[in-house]
Amino acid sequence: MFDSSVPVFIHFLNSLSAILRKAEVHCEARKIDPNVMLNMRLFPDMFALTRQVQIAADGAKGAGARLAGIPVPSFPDEEKSFAELQARIGKTIDFLGTLTKAQFEGAEGRAITFKSGGQERNYTGAAYLETWAKPNFFFHLTTAYAILRHNGVELGKPDFLSGGKAV
Amino acid sequence: MFDSSVPVFIHFLNSLSAILRKAEVHCEARKIDPNVMLNMRLFPDMFALTRQVQIAADGAKGAGARLAGIPVPSFPDEEKSFAELQARIGKTIDFLGTLTKAQFEGAEGRAITFKSGGQERNYTGAAYLETWAKPNFFFHLTTAYAILRHNGVELGKPDFLSGGKAV
């Protein structure tokens, strides 16, 4: 359970960080106001880029904490710049880095209860990780990528898969 | 390895099927040529909806076969309608349904070698599943969803998560 959660989230948070660095460079090169890019969305009732990043990071944080059986730390949603989103991703990775394999003993069968969309959700740890936490995480990561691609940032699948390594 | 792959792929292929049914109904209700929707994309050098669906389905099929240690069945990319995409998803689910837990014994450490983007890729089974197969699968599933949302189809996160149950 540890191996299929914590290092996976860290890997893809590093991808997200690298993707956002490319987006920031793109804005600088084309004199695009970064606030415009951070507020782009694919449809009026979808979340903007900043919120997609916050939700992806929160998904990784929540999954790590719940599976480890510890309280979910709360990070305020106050980011207004690429630098602040990078810091948000960084502190999420730092938190995940504090989790240990020992905390994940028995996480597969652990009862996971939380609220989302005003509804209480009940899962076992394994079902939570595989049918809620990782799918949601990749959903918001991919939507962030899609917003940037749709707005002309030159990204490719290797940026998504790289774990932050240069591509 | 079986539990964190085969039923997960089947669950989300059923989500994809339900999402495409809603898209088809949307086209009928608004007299949109289904071919127009099937060829929508988020940027000129991104894949269109049909191809996103084919790649998502192929990702699930390839992962199931490789982790089971059997040859990957080849399905031709010939779909030209929502009905044909539903059939493609259906036969992918049927194939995954033939795989057994016994075939996945030791899959975690199995050497997985395949070509993608002209490059040979080498993974152990666990790393292949968690950093290649599932992320790629969710990438294409989410991009299909994003194309439809961007084009006005009324979908929400529950459609993505539902596993095909009515939402």
Side-chain angles (χ1 to χ4, degrees):
Chain A
M1 286 294 286
F2 181 89
D3 289 342
S4 62
S5 59
V6 172
V8 176
F9 288 127
I10 291 174
H11 180 99
F12 287 95
L13 285 168
N14 279 317
S15 291
L16 179 56
S17 171
I19 285 166
L20 291 173
R21 273 197 300 276
K22 285 201 176 178
E24 188 177 12
V25 168
H26 176 95
C27 289
E28 285 163 5
R30 283 156 189 80
K31 304 199 190 307
I32 294 167
D33 179 349
N35 287 316
V36 172
M37 193 65 92
L38 292 168
N39 285 296
M40 281 293 177
R41 58 190 85 215
L42 292 175
F43 202 69
D45 68 351
M46 288 180 82
F47 288 126
L49 177 61
T50 293
R51 189 88 193 101
Q52 301 288 351
V53 174
Q54 290 166 340
I55 297 174
D58 264 7
K61 164 169 70 70
R66 290 186 185 109
L67 293 170
I70 64 172
V72 181
S74 178
F75 296 163
D77 292 324
E78 299 172 332
E79 291 81 8
K80 301 242 174 287
S81 66
F82 281 109
E84 288 174 9
L85 286 178
Q86 295 289 359
R88 174 71 170 263
I89 294 169
K91 70 183 179 180
T92 303
I93 291 172
D94 288 347
F95 166 70
L96 291 168
T98 67
L99 302 176
T100 65
K101 290 202 182 200
Q103 291 172 306
F104 280 66
E105 286 295 320
E108 194 163 314
R110 188 167 290 159
I112 307 278
T113 300
F114 62 102
K115 281 207 169 176
S116 173
Q119 259 190 284
E120 190 173 281
R121 315 276 174 171
N122 295 286
Y123 285 93
T124 60
Y128 167 70
L129 178 60
E130 296 298 345
T131 64
W132 179 279
K134 281 193 291 192
N136 266 320
F137 174 75
F138 285 116
F139 179 94
H140 292 287
L141 170 52
T142 304
T143 305
Y145 174 100
I147 290 169
L148 292 168
R149 283 286 266 120
H150 180 64
N151 285 287
V153 179
E154 288 180 18
L155 299 168
K157 179 70 77 62
D159 295 294
F160 173 79
L161 291 169
S162 70
K165 288 191 206 87
V167 292
Chain B
M1 287 293 286
F2 181 89
D3 290 343
S4 62
S5 58
V6 172
V8 176
F9 288 127
I10 291 175
H11 180 99
F12 286 95
L13 284 169
N14 279 317
S15 291
L16 179 57
S17 172
I19 286 167
L20 291 173
R21 274 196 299 276
K22 285 200 176 178
E24 188 176 12
V25 167
H26 176 95
C27 289
E28 285 163 5
R30 284 158 188 79
K31 305 199 189 307
I32 295 166
D33 179 349
N35 287 316
V36 171
M37 193 65 93
L38 292 168
N39 284 296
M40 282 293 178
R41 59 190 85 217
L42 292 173
F43 202 68
D45 68 351
M46 288 181 81
F47 288 126
L49 178 60
T50 293
R51 189 86 193 102
Q52 301 289 350
V53 174
Q54 290 165 340
I55 297 174
D58 264 5
K61 166 170 68 73
R66 290 187 185 108
L67 293 170
I70 64 172
V72 182
S74 177
F75 296 164
D77 292 326
E78 300 172 331
E79 291 80 9
K80 301 241 173 287
S81 67
F82 280 109
E84 287 173 8
L85 287 177
Q86 294 289 357
R88 173 72 171 261
I89 294 169
K91 71 183 178 181
T92 303
I93 291 172
D94 289 346
F95 166 70
L96 291 168
T98 67
L99 302 176
T100 65
K101 289 203 183 200
Q103 291 173 306
F104 281 65
E105 286 296 320
E108 194 163 316
R110 187 167 292 159
I112 307 278
T113 301
F114 61 102
K115 280 206 169 176
S116 174
Q119 258 191 286
E120 189 173 281
R121 315 277 174 171
N122 295 286
Y123 285 95
T124 61
Y128 166 70
L129 178 60
E130 296 298 346
T131 64
W132 179 278
K134 281 193 291 191
N136 266 319
F137 174 76
F138 285 116
F139 180 94
H140 293 287
L141 169 53
T142 304
T143 305
Y145 174 101
I147 290 170
L148 291 169
R149 283 286 267 120
H150 180 64
N151 284 287
V153 179
E154 289 180 17
L155 298 168
K157 179 70 77 61
D159 294 294
F160 173 79
L161 291 169
S162 70
K165 289 192 207 85
V167 292

